[in-house]
Amino acid sequence: MGPSKVIPYYFKATENFDKEEITMATLVTYNRFKVLSRLASHYKGPISVAIHINDDGSKENIINDLHKLYDENENMRRYVDLHLVIDKFDRQFNMWRNVAKFFARTDYIMMLDVDFYLCTDFRKSLKKEPELMELLKAGKAAIVVPAFEYVDENDGEDWNDFPKTKQDLLVDVNTNKLDMFHRGWKRGHGSTNYEKWYKQTRPYKVTDYNYSYEPYVIFKKEGTPWCDERFVGYGANKAACLFEIYLAGIDYWVLPNDFLIHQTHHYPEDTRAKERTYNKKLYDYYREEICLRYARTMIAANEWNTSKATNLKKECGRIRGFNDVIGKVAAEHNEL
């Protein structure tokens, strides 16, 4: 897109964080400052946030409001590392995600959209699952926290009314007050298998993966793929991040008792529709490219016949011509 001025740690949290903590890695625009402040007060843990500011006449006013936000909330000062991205390019979501991840100061991050309210303490839940923690530490698992939204958007305005336990959430689900996030686009979150989650008491592995899957996940910072910054604007950007994580041999595991709920926020739908069209085309080409790249890398590293390649073989094998091309590459490698 062009040069961006990135100012890391424009504000640096005063807390010293345990390396095994989970950092909320998120991105925030000017109209969501108050939601960020709420997240800091509620989570009371490390947050690494990329703040985009347009490089125009409004820049100084926005920075002044940021200072005011920190002055007014002690939890912002204690827990939030804030990194400025200053340029003239709107909605570079993946670039902003990479900034937030890069400057996170703990071993694990959760890629979160700031509009989601953390209804449960998933940090406590994970500590009770030593086998899942071992997979996370080994960089072999990304932990899904299921996302919900209110069927009537007006019900999602006040987070104080959100259920705080799975039992209470199921009451609202059974009365059709709450449902999976973006139920009209089932491919986005359907792989979580909500019907299974409603009954489940143990963590479970995602087995019906779809390349449009875009859950909110906790994963290891080091050694995991970065988000491809060619995706600018709405549509496919987060799915592309998670697709590459999946191809890298990282499985998705779902926590059975934890959940997030979307706090109602209205979007510019006309803009979203146009950008989704462009990004859908890009994503088709990207998936082919990334499949070939990872397959060649695994073959060269003698990992093609290991469990690390299982996700890639399953997902990329659905692309026409992929198996023929990679079969020849593997044969040539074996002859060397």
Side-chain angles (χ1 to χ4, degrees), residues 6-37:
V6 178
I7 306 175
Y9 304 111
Y10 183 81
F11 289 111
K12 188 171 185 178
T14 57
E15 286 283 316
N16 292 316
F17 303 119
D18 187 306
K19 292 295 277 183
E20 292 204 348
E21 259 283 19
I22 299 168
T23 295
M24 293 291 111
T26 189
L27 46 98
V28 175
T29 49
Y30 182 41
N31 61 341
R32 308 310 286 160
F33 282 2
K34 289 183 179 179
V35 184
L36 171 63
S37 182

Side-chain angles (χ1 to χ4, degrees), residues 151-276:
V151 175
D152 183 343
E153 288 188 345
N154 293 325
D155 291 332
E157 297 282 358
D158 188 357
W159 57 272
N160 289 294
D161 297 332
F162 292 180
K164 305 299 188 294
T165 67
K166 183 175 181 177
Q167 184 178 4
D168 290 340
L169 174 119
L170 289 177
V171 172
D172 286 346
V173 168
N174 291 331
T175 56
N176 200 35
K177 189 175 181 181
L178 272 171
D179 207 332
M180 63 176 282
F181 183 60
H182 283 175
R183 67 176 180 176
W185 175 243
K186 190 174 181 180
R187 294 171 66 177
H189 290 263
S191 294
T192 296
N193 193 342
Y194 283 75
E195 291 301 321
K196 181 175 183 176
W197 185 85
Y198 296 145
K199 304 169 187 174
Q200 197 75 11
T201 58
R202 300 288 304 143
Y204 61 94
K205 186 177 175 180
V206 170
T207 56
D208 187 21
Y209 174 82
N210 183 283
Y211 63 79
S212 295
Y213 191 38
E214 49 180 15
Y216 297 96
V217 293
I218 301 159
F219 58 97
K220 192 173 183 179
K221 176 186 172 183
E222 295 300 325
T224 49
W226 299 90
C227 295
D228 195 294
E229 295 181 5
R230 286 173 290 181
F231 289 89
V232 176
Y234 295 109
N237 54 79
K238 184 149 64 71
C241 296
L242 295 166
F243 179 77
E244 193 164 344
I245 286 173
Y246 183 73
L247 288 201
I250 299 170
D251 294 317
Y252 292 113
W253 287 81
V254 184
L255 286 176
N257 296 308
D258 294 274
F259 56 92
L260 315 166
I261 295 181
H262 185 249
Q263 302 170 84
T264 297
H265 174 48
H266 302 284
Y267 302 96
E269 285 300 331
D270 289 345
T271 300
R272 286 162 70 90
K274 292 176 183 177
E275 291 175 346
R276 282 194 187 107

Side-chain angles (χ1 to χ4, degrees), residues 113-129:
D113 287 351
V114 76
D115 285 318
F116 278 85
Y117 185 76
L118 311 177
C119 296
T120 57
D121 189 348
F122 50 78
R123 291 179 289 185
K124 186 182 292 184
S125 299
L126 266 175
K127 288 177 181 178
K128 296 177 182 177
E129 302 291 346

Side-chain angles (χ1 to χ4, degrees), residues 26-82:
T26 189
L27 46 98
V28 175
T29 49
Y30 182 41
N31 61 341
R32 308 310 286 160
F33 282 2
K34 289 183 179 179
V35 184
L36 171 63
S37 182
R38 187 186 307 155
L39 174 64
S41 297
H42 177 55
Y43 186 57
K44 289 184 168 59
I47 297 172
S48 178
V49 57
I51 300 276
H52 177 249
I53 298 177
N54 273 304
D55 194 7
D56 57 25
S58 64
K59 180 171 67 175
E60 295 304 321
N61 290 336
I62 295 173
I63 290 175
N64 287 338
D65 285 346
L66 268 179
H67 280 267
K68 185 178 179 183
L69 199 68
Y70 269 74
D71 290 342
E72 291 176 346
N73 188 347
E74 179 191 358
N75 293 307
M76 289 286 294
R77 301 192 294 273
R78 289 183 63 185
Y79 300 114
V80 180
D81 288 333
L82 191 147

